[in-house]
Amino acid sequence: MTEEIQENHRLRELIGEQIRSRGGLPFIDYMRLCLYHPEYGYYMSPRRRIGKEGDFFTSSSVHHLFGRLIARQIVQVWELLGRQSMTVAEQGAGEGHLALDILDALQRENPDCYAGLSYRLVEVSPVNRERQQQLLAGHTARVDWCELEALRGMQGCFLSNELVDAFPVHLLEKRDNRLREVYVVEKDDRFAEELRQPASAVIDYFDWLGCGPLEGCRAEANPAAVDWLRQVGDLLGRGLVLTIDYGYPAEELYAPFRSAGTLLCYHQHQSNDNPYVHIGCQDITSHVDFTALQKAGAEAGLETLWFGEQYRFLMGLGFVEVLMELQAKENDPRKAQQLRMTLKNLIMPEGGMGETFKVLVQGKGLGSPELLCQRGIDAIPIP
Ligand SMILES: C[S@@+](CC[C@H](N)C(=O)[O-])C[C@H]1O[C@@H](n2cnc3c(N)ncnc32)[C@H](O)[C@@H]1O
């Protein structure tokens, strides 16, 4: 592995220039440059990010069953909306695997729903948009790309999987009963941290949330997530907002045992807690505050219909049934076992994606339907 691939030197220089000219950068601005600098940012440059040759796996990159199950929830929304033409919008679709698996499943299993469907992708990264276009070439008549604002009045389902954890965050520490914000500075030619007075937006954010970092703890604040959900709630005419990501309710996120916060970096399938290495070549993420999303949603007319762990969500949608169907088609016992192991990843609590990943389902104009995803184990027919 060459050094160029480990770190983007040009991006490091550009960040250094900004630090010198501004006298230090709030961590949120540093993270924004690392991930979204138009030319050199991690998400904006041409590199493999998701999957075996990338830096991390996402549920949709694990197996097409994930998208196939979500398609079942979409079909129920279509029925609730009177089986009319509807929109599925997905923001931050990465390479587009979830979109492909949903569209394939709908085309095969619910052609009427598929025929009236408009699948709209909102993507900030031109490189990802191009990959999505290639992957979705078989569904050209159903898909297009747009800005968030173009979704105003949409009826249907608004989806995101691991979008919110990729928003830049403020990094904070509470010491001697004072909240301080992390700034990135240069010391001896290296990036270092300095604690300073927090931006007023941060103080306002925690006042609004009614919860925040405890004494001696480091934590993040993600006001962009709140603004985003308010915008989505405002744009949605009728339907569901489905937000899938790793995270916790606020009181668990800011609990005393999480004293180091949740900021994590991913590089070639290794996680680390140092955002000052592999600049532009590693993902930087933080866990999502689902209390903030529910509160922001409520302010924008979105009612929380369901919130829970990914394993319960997938079970409700028929995980076991589809697993058994896929297994029955597999004649080679080794491949059948491999399939079980792969799929276990999606629901396993320890070391898998089943528990850390949560699903927030918010609705507008749908009443309080019994959603498929909220079925308890006893209500699910096992073949
Ligand atoms: C971790 S990846 C998501 C992976 C993908 N959803 C999956 O299931 O494999 C984050 C994605 O969000 C995109 N993104 C980040 N901020 C965005 C924004 N404000 N609007 C649209 N896309 C955004 C990134 O370019 C990337 O495609």
Side-chain angles (χ1 to χ4, degrees):
M1 187 68 49
T2 63
E3 217 189 319
E4 279 71 26
I5 296 170
Q6 301 283 341
E7 171 168 314
N8 188 313
H9 299 306
R10 186 67 196 116
L11 184 58
R12 174 180 266 277
E13 275 167 28
L14 282 166
I15 294 173
E17 280 162 23
Q18 287 222 20
I19 289 175
R20 287 188 291 281
S21 73
R22 290 172 58 184
L25 281 181
F27 182 83
I28 188 169
D29 291 349
Y30 171 80
M31 180 168 168
R32 188 176 294 114
L33 285 167
C34 288
L35 298 182
Y36 302 108
H37 179 278
E39 211 174 332
Y40 307 120
Y42 175 75
Y43 279 108
M44 311 303 262
S45 51
R47 54 180 290 118
R48 281 259 161 246
R49 285 170 277 269
I50 302 172
K52 212 166 162 189
E53 285 132 36
D55 299 307
F56 53 87
F57 289 104
T58 59
S59 296
S60 63
S61 67
V62 169
H63 199 274
H64 59 78
L65 169 139
F66 185 70
R68 188 171 161 196
L69 290 178
I70 292 178
R72 290 182 166 192
Q73 188 53 77
I74 291 171
V75 170
Q76 191 192 14
V77 174
W78 174 67
E79 285 165 353
L80 288 166
L81 290 173
R83 295 174 166 254
Q84 293 164 5
S85 302
M86 74 166 192
T87 300
V88 172
E90 186 186 352
Q91 188 171 358
E95 314 217 326
H97 290 289
L98 181 58
L100 179 69
D101 298 338
I102 289 174
L103 286 160
D104 282 350
L106 291 178
Q107 188 175 35
R108 203 175 44 239
E109 293 166 24
N110 290 88
D112 288 350
C113 173
Y114 179 81
L117 189 78
S118 165
Y119 201 108
R120 314 198 71 185
L121 294 107
V122 180
E123 174 55 61
V124 76
S125 158
V127 188
N128 277 356
R129 213 176 305 143
E130 220 171 277
R131 288 195 187 146
Q132 293 161 13
Q133 275 157 356
Q134 283 164 10
L135 196 72
L136 300 173
H139 294 284
T140 345
R142 303 266 67 86
V143 296
D144 77 332
W145 282 258
C146 67
E147 296 299 317
L148 203 49
E149 192 51 43
L151 297 171
R152 185 160 293 285
M154 70 163 261
Q155 305 225 353
C157 240
F158 185 99
L159 303 175
S160 68
N161 181 45
E162 293 202 48
L163 166 73
V164 184
D165 71 70
F167 286 173
V169 289
H170 293 273
L171 197 53
L172 306 140
E173 248 182 67
K174 195 157 190 183
R175 298 259 169 241
D176 304 323
N177 224 14
R178 282 176 65 205
L179 192 63
R180 314 297 305 275
E181 178 158 7
V182 173
Y183 272 66
V184 184
V185 295
E186 274 187 318
K187 281 209 175 97
D188 305 326
D189 265 353
R190 298 176 146 243
F191 292 153
E193 294 184 346
E194 224 173 75
L195 295 179
R196 297 188 186 168
Q197 177 68 21
S200 57
V202 173
I203 315 267
D204 294 348
Y205 176 80
F206 287 120
D207 281 350
W208 169 82
L209 186 63
C211 188
L214 298 171
E215 179 60 27
C217 292
R218 190 170 256 233
E220 305 84 32
N222 192 346
V226 165
D227 293 344
W228 164 77
L229 198 63
R230 283 194 184 121
Q231 192 183 356
V232 172
D234 186 42
L235 291 172
L236 185 71
R238 246 182 113 201
L240 282 192
V241 180
L242 241 158
T243 309
I244 308 171
D245 220 316
Y246 38 85
Y248 306 102
E251 60 180 39
E252 213 181 321
L253 192 65
Y254 297 113
F257 58 82
R258 220 177 292 289
S259 59
T262 68
L263 198 88
L264 267 184
C265 308
Y266 292 91
H267 181 64
Q268 297 172 356
H269 295 283
Q270 303 282 322
S271 64
N272 73 75
D273 58 4
N274 187 352
Y276 309 111
V277 296
H278 307 309
I279 292 164
C281 298
Q282 68 174 0
D283 194 14
I284 310 176
T285 76
S286 73
H287 281 47
V288 172
D289 179 347
F290 280 101
T291 304
L293 292 188
Q294 290 185 58
K295 198 168 150 71
E299 289 172 3
L302 295 175
E303 196 186 333
T304 296
L305 300 180
W306 192 80
F307 171 63
E309 297 86 353
Q310 176 165 297
Y311 83 87
R312 288 206 281 141
F313 173 78
L314 293 179
M315 288 294 194
L317 293 175
F319 179 89
V320 177
E321 183 197 336
V322 179
L323 168 66
M324 288 174 86
E325 181 203 307
L326 290 172
Q327 273 211 128
K329 285 190 197 146
E330 194 50 81
N331 295 325
D332 181 341
R334 265 192 43 233
K335 285 194 182 152
Q337 196 198 0
Q338 226 168 39
L339 177 74
R340 271 198 306 278
M341 299 303 285
T342 305
L343 292 181
K344 229 165 78 177
N345 249 320
L346 294 173
I347 55 159
M348 280 281 281
E350 294 287 323
M353 294 162 142
E355 208 165 80
T356 320
F357 278 77
K358 309 286 190 316
V359 184
L360 174 60
V361 186
Q362 293 162 300
K364 191 171 181 183
L366 288 184
S368 310
E370 259 312 295
L371 293 173
L372 215 53
C373 68
Q374 64 192 110
R375 287 186 303 174
I377 304 258
D378 47 347
I380 302 165
I382 309 265

